Structures are given as C-alpha cells and as structure tokens.
Amino acid sequence: MNVVGWVHDQLLDFFGLGQLLGMIAAGDYRALLTVNGFAALLNPLLPPLLLFELLRSIALKTFQREHYQVPLLVMVLNRFIGNFITIAMVGLCIGLFQRFALFQAGLTWYGLLYGYVAWELSHFVYHFFAHKVRLLWCLHSTHHAPVAMNLSVNYSHIFLEGAYADFVRTSICILLGVSPPLLILIMIIDGFWGSFIHLGENVLKNGRLGVLGRFILTPSHHRVHHARNVVYMDTNFCNLLPIWDRVFGTYVEERDDIQIEYGITRPVKRYSVLDAYLGEFYLLGKDVWNAPGIGNKLLYLVMPPGWSHDGHHKTAKVAKQELEQMEAHHPGTSQPSHGYH
C-alpha cells in the first residue's frame, strides 16, 4: 500500500479539491455549469475555514483540546465506515419512491423554490424525531456531545445517522415530486450551509448575520439549537429556511441575557470518542434491561429522551414546564437550570 499516496488522496478529499484540480488539469471548465461542477466550487470553501478557525483559537489562546478532539476523531472514524452509505441510501429511496410522485419539479427557479420548501420539511421531520425518539436520539446525540461550537462539530456524527437522515429526507422529497437532479443540487447547497452554520465564536462572534437573520437560519440560530439550556432545547430544527420551525412553533432566537452552554445534559467523559459515539446507546440499553415488562422496554425505545416508566419524567418538555413555573414564581430568572436529554 502506498501510504504517501493514500494520505495525498485523503487530504484532497478532505479539502474537496479533487474535482476542481481535475478540471484545471484538463483545462475544461464547462463542468462548472453542471451540478457536480457547482459542488466542486463549494466543497473547498469550508475546510480552510475550519483550519483558520483552529489556528485563530490557538493564536487567541482560547484553544482547548476538548473542543476539537472528539469531533475530528469521529470524522476519521466515519470516513472508514460510512463513505458509501449516503449514496446507497439516496439511490435506494429514489428507486423505491419516485414512481409514486404525482409530478416532477425540475431544475427551474420555481422548481428550486418548491424543492427547497419540501427539503426543509423533510429535514425538519428527520431532525425533530431525532430529538423526540430516544433510539433516534442515540444516533443524533454524538453531534450534540461537543462542549463548544466550531466547524469540527459538523463532522461529529455516528455513521448510522446518515442512513436514517437520508432515508427520511430523500423519501419525503421524492414522494413530493422533487426530481433527483434537483434533489442533488439542494443537498449540495444545504450541505454547504449546514456546515457553515457551525462556525464558532472564534471566527464569527455575533452569528446573527444582520438583516439576513430575519429570513434564514444563521450560525446564531444553530448555536441555540446546540445549547443545553432548557429555554433553548429542541428548537430551530430547520437548516436554511426556518419555514417549518415557525409553522410548528420551534423557532427561537438567541437571547442576550442567556449565555449558551453547549453539549448534552449528561456529563460526557472528556476526550472520550467512545462515550460520545456510543454512550447514549449504553444508557438506553441499561434502561431497557431494567424496565419491567416488554411494553415498558419498547416504550424506552420510542418515547422522548428522559421518559421513565415510573412517571418521573425528565424530558425537555417537562424541564420547560418546570422552568415556566419557576419564572412565574420568580420573574426575571435569566439563567435556567438544565433539562435532560
């Protein structure tokens, strides 16, 4: 095995330069007018920004190993395990469900507008249930485990979550008539923006993006989503357009009087990829094992995180109700206690 060649290929892949360098070498830039060409332009933008963010935190002496180690090691792990899952799942869903679509929205401006509304709905559904069904939360919690916000958090996913997300999002979009070429274009745009909104305070102190924040979801909105503060939990599920968050009442803006605390509500072992990756599965397994009766065991799989068979629930919903009662009795409470995931 050519180790140097393998490292070279991995670096090109990480920085998203393979397609672009291929076009430059061939001297043929017509591909830039295609969906793949558009992806070749976007892919190299974020990795250098991650590197800049990391180096700037070192220069500002705010760098902490804990903020980067788990997300980046998870990324390396996923590269070995999940490289082909996304392509396979998207292709499977297209093959299964395209025949049932009543129409096909293509690569037009109005098709893109419709397709993005459909995509945001599909993303909302996937993301909402990832927070509200405990088994799915076990897949998603790895992404919320980091205790700081930076671009490396975008890579912190258990590899199986991609299969679940792709199945839900692709199936809904295809059934709603989003054509495969349009879907791929939307996934490229959404992948770029979904990465960008993880930009941390080291580079973008105020992530509200001015007037844009009135119309789109910004890094500020996504910092709220990653907060473990009770008032912020289970909010801002969309990715770019907050249409469905506004429709379903989950849209929340960052408050100046509450400092965001990142991470999940249970303590995750510092620097432990294993705990961030599989810790929630372990805890779910314990609850299922100790639950009386098959019914309660099954309920632990599908009820929200924090649900308990004995009625002592510690879900986000219960935590928010307790916060509201506390604020009613003690007006002006600005730093609420943590809820539970």
Side-chain angles (χ1 to χ4, degrees):
M1 179 179 179
N2 186 341
V3 176
V4 175
W6 181 84
V7 172
H8 173 267
D9 292 341
Q10 293 300 309
L11 286 174
L12 283 183
D13 192 30
F14 174 74
F15 284 100
L17 293 172
Q19 285 180 291
L20 196 58
L21 290 177
M23 280 186 272
I24 294 172
D28 183 2
Y29 300 98
R30 290 173 296 179
L32 293 174
L33 299 177
T34 67
V35 171
N36 285 336
F38 181 66
L41 284 178
L42 288 183
N43 288 339
L45 297 180
L46 288 170
L49 197 54
L50 167 59
L51 188 60
F52 171 73
E53 183 182 51
L54 178 61
L55 293 175
R56 193 166 191 269
S57 70
I58 295 173
L60 295 175
K61 298 182 179 179
T62 60
F63 172 81
Q64 294 185 43
R65 174 183 157 200
E66 183 180 13
H67 294 173
Y68 288 91
Q69 176 169 306
V70 169
L72 291 177
L73 287 179
V74 167
M75 178 196 71
V76 173
L77 181 61
N78 285 345
R79 289 183 71 84
F80 283 100
I81 299 175
N83 268 352
F84 304 105
I85 291 180
T86 293
I87 295 174
M89 183 58 71
V90 170
L92 175 66
C93 293
I94 291 172
L96 286 175
F97 299 117
Q98 190 175 15
R99 72 193 76 173
F100 300 111
L102 297 178
F103 61 88
Q104 291 288 292
L107 291 169
T108 61
W109 68 267
Y110 50 87
L112 180 60
L113 182 61
Y114 169 77
Y116 224 102
V117 172
W119 171 264
E120 285 290 7
L121 175 62
S122 70
H123 185 84
F124 181 94
V125 171
Y126 134 70
H127 207 173
F128 179 84
F129 283 106
H131 282 250
K132 294 298 187 180
V133 175
R134 189 167 176 192
L135 181 60
L136 299 178
W137 169 249
C138 291
L139 296 176
H140 189 56
S141 63
T142 303
H143 184 56
H144 281 262
V147 295
M149 180 62 78
N150 54 67
L151 284 176
S152 74
V153 175
N154 184 58
Y155 301 104
S156 183
H157 289 276
I158 189 169
F159 76 98
L160 287 172
E161 186 186 11
Y164 157 62
D166 291 329
F167 177 80
V168 173
R169 294 184 298 196
T170 304
S171 299
I172 291 175
C173 284
I174 292 298
L175 286 170
L176 290 177
V178 180
S179 67
L182 177 59
L183 178 61
I184 298 302
L185 175 61
I186 291 171
M187 291 176 74
I188 290 169
I189 298 171
D190 204 68
F192 171 80
W193 191 256
S195 299
F196 175 77
I197 57 178
H198 290 90
L199 193 64
E201 291 88 345
N202 283 329
V203 174
L204 195 63
K205 186 67 176 177
N206 184 336
R208 291 180 172 89
L209 301 186
V211 70
L212 283 177
R214 299 179 185 179
F215 308 102
I216 65 174
L217 283 166
T218 65
S220 172
H221 291 116
H222 204 63
R223 291 168 191 174
V224 166
H225 175 75
H226 274 261
R228 60 177 178 164
N229 311 71
V230 172
V231 70
Y232 287 148
M233 290 172 66
D234 291 353
T235 58
N236 298 345
F237 292 111
C238 292
N239 212 42
L240 174 58
L241 303 177
I243 302 168
W244 302 106
D245 280 311
R246 293 186 184 275
V247 168
F248 294 112
T250 54
Y251 176 81
V252 171
E253 293 189 1
E254 183 179 355
R255 287 168 49 174
D256 293 328
D257 61 328
I258 297 179
Q259 182 178 356
I260 292 177
E261 296 184 21
Y262 297 110
I264 58 179
T265 54
R266 73 170 179 88
V268 178
K269 295 177 183 177
R270 296 182 71 186
Y271 313 122
S272 174
V273 173
L274 188 63
D275 192 21
Y277 212 68
L278 298 174
E280 290 296 311
F281 282 104
Y282 171 73
L283 294 174
L284 173 59
K286 284 182 62 177
D287 285 339
V288 171
W289 179 264
N290 293 322
I294 188 65
N296 285 318
K297 293 181 186 297
L298 293 175
L299 283 174
Y300 269 108
L301 299 177
V302 299
M303 295 300 285
W307 179 88
S308 175
H309 70 274
D310 60 10
H312 292 86
H313 306 313
K314 299 178 180 180
T315 63
K317 181 179 179 180
V318 170
K320 288 192 174 188
Q321 289 172 345
E322 292 175 351
L323 174 62
E324 290 172 1
Q325 293 173 0
M326 183 175 65
E327 289 183 329
H329 290 92
H330 303 282
T333 301
S334 61
Q335 186 59 45
S337 60
H338 294 150
Y340 302 85
H341 263 149

